[in-house]
Amino acid sequence: MAIDIRALATANLVVQLVVIALVLGAVYLARRGRVIRHCTIVRGAVVVQIITILAVMLPSLLGYVGNVPPIPFLYPELLIHHILGLVLIAIFIYVNLEVGRVIRPVVKRKNAMRAALGVWLIAIALGINIYLTVYYA
């Protein structure tokens, strides 16, 4: 049974859009003082993110590493997108270690979380562009 790569990519895109919508909802909750609910949603979103990275995005990237399509700027865009994903996970780990008082704060928590949101938004924008470029260009 062959896997339909386009269908898998489309399903992943839908998951990513749902995840970013949940994250934006979590931001709204944090601004309203519902921090525990915010943290629960963000933790769940990051778990889903890690699963999709391991199951879909990393294998896709490795496939492109061995066989780069002749699309201008696609490869650098893929690398930047994946690096931003790793940066996002690193920020998440930092914030959780800082909240759990495992490490001392290096930056203000709010600044780290704002940076995480910015990275996440840039990564989703790049991901959408990559999807459109690969499947509809």
Side-chain angles (χ1 to χ4, degrees):
M1 181 171 122
I3 297 174
D4 182 357
I5 301 299
R6 181 183 245 172
L8 184 61
T10 301
N12 183 53
L13 178 61
V14 170
V15 168
Q16 297 306 318
L17 293 173
V18 169
V19 167
I20 199 68
L22 287 170
V23 167
L24 292 172
V27 170
Y28 174 81
L29 291 172
R31 291 182 179 211
R32 298 292 177 259
R34 301 188 69 188
V35 177
I36 293 173
R37 182 148 314 196
H38 162 84
C39 292
T40 302
I41 291 170
V42 171
R43 285 183 178 132
V46 171
V47 168
V48 170
Q49 197 63 28
I50 290 169
I51 291 167
T52 60
I53 287 169
L54 295 174
V56 179
M57 291 185 254
L58 181 60
S60 176
L61 175 67
L62 295 176
Y64 284 123
V65 168
N67 185 19
V68 180
I71 301 171
F73 304 111
L74 178 64
Y75 191 63
E77 189 174 6
L78 283 166
L79 291 177
I80 292 167
H81 173 72
H82 284 270
I83 289 167
L84 288 174
L86 295 174
V87 167
L88 177 65
I89 291 169
I91 294 170
F92 172 79
I93 291 169
Y94 164 79
V95 168
N96 277 274
L97 291 174
E98 193 263 314
V99 166
R101 301 192 195 297
V102 174
I103 62 172
R104 291 185 180 190
V106 177
V107 297
K108 290 184 179 181
R109 187 181 311 155
K110 189 178 276 189
N111 291 342
M113 290 188 285
R114 285 179 177 156
L117 179 61
V119 167
W120 212 325
L121 291 172
I122 293 167
I124 190 75
L126 284 173
I128 291 167
N129 188 60
I130 290 166
Y131 174 84
L132 294 173
T133 300
V134 170
Y135 296 105
Y136 294 99

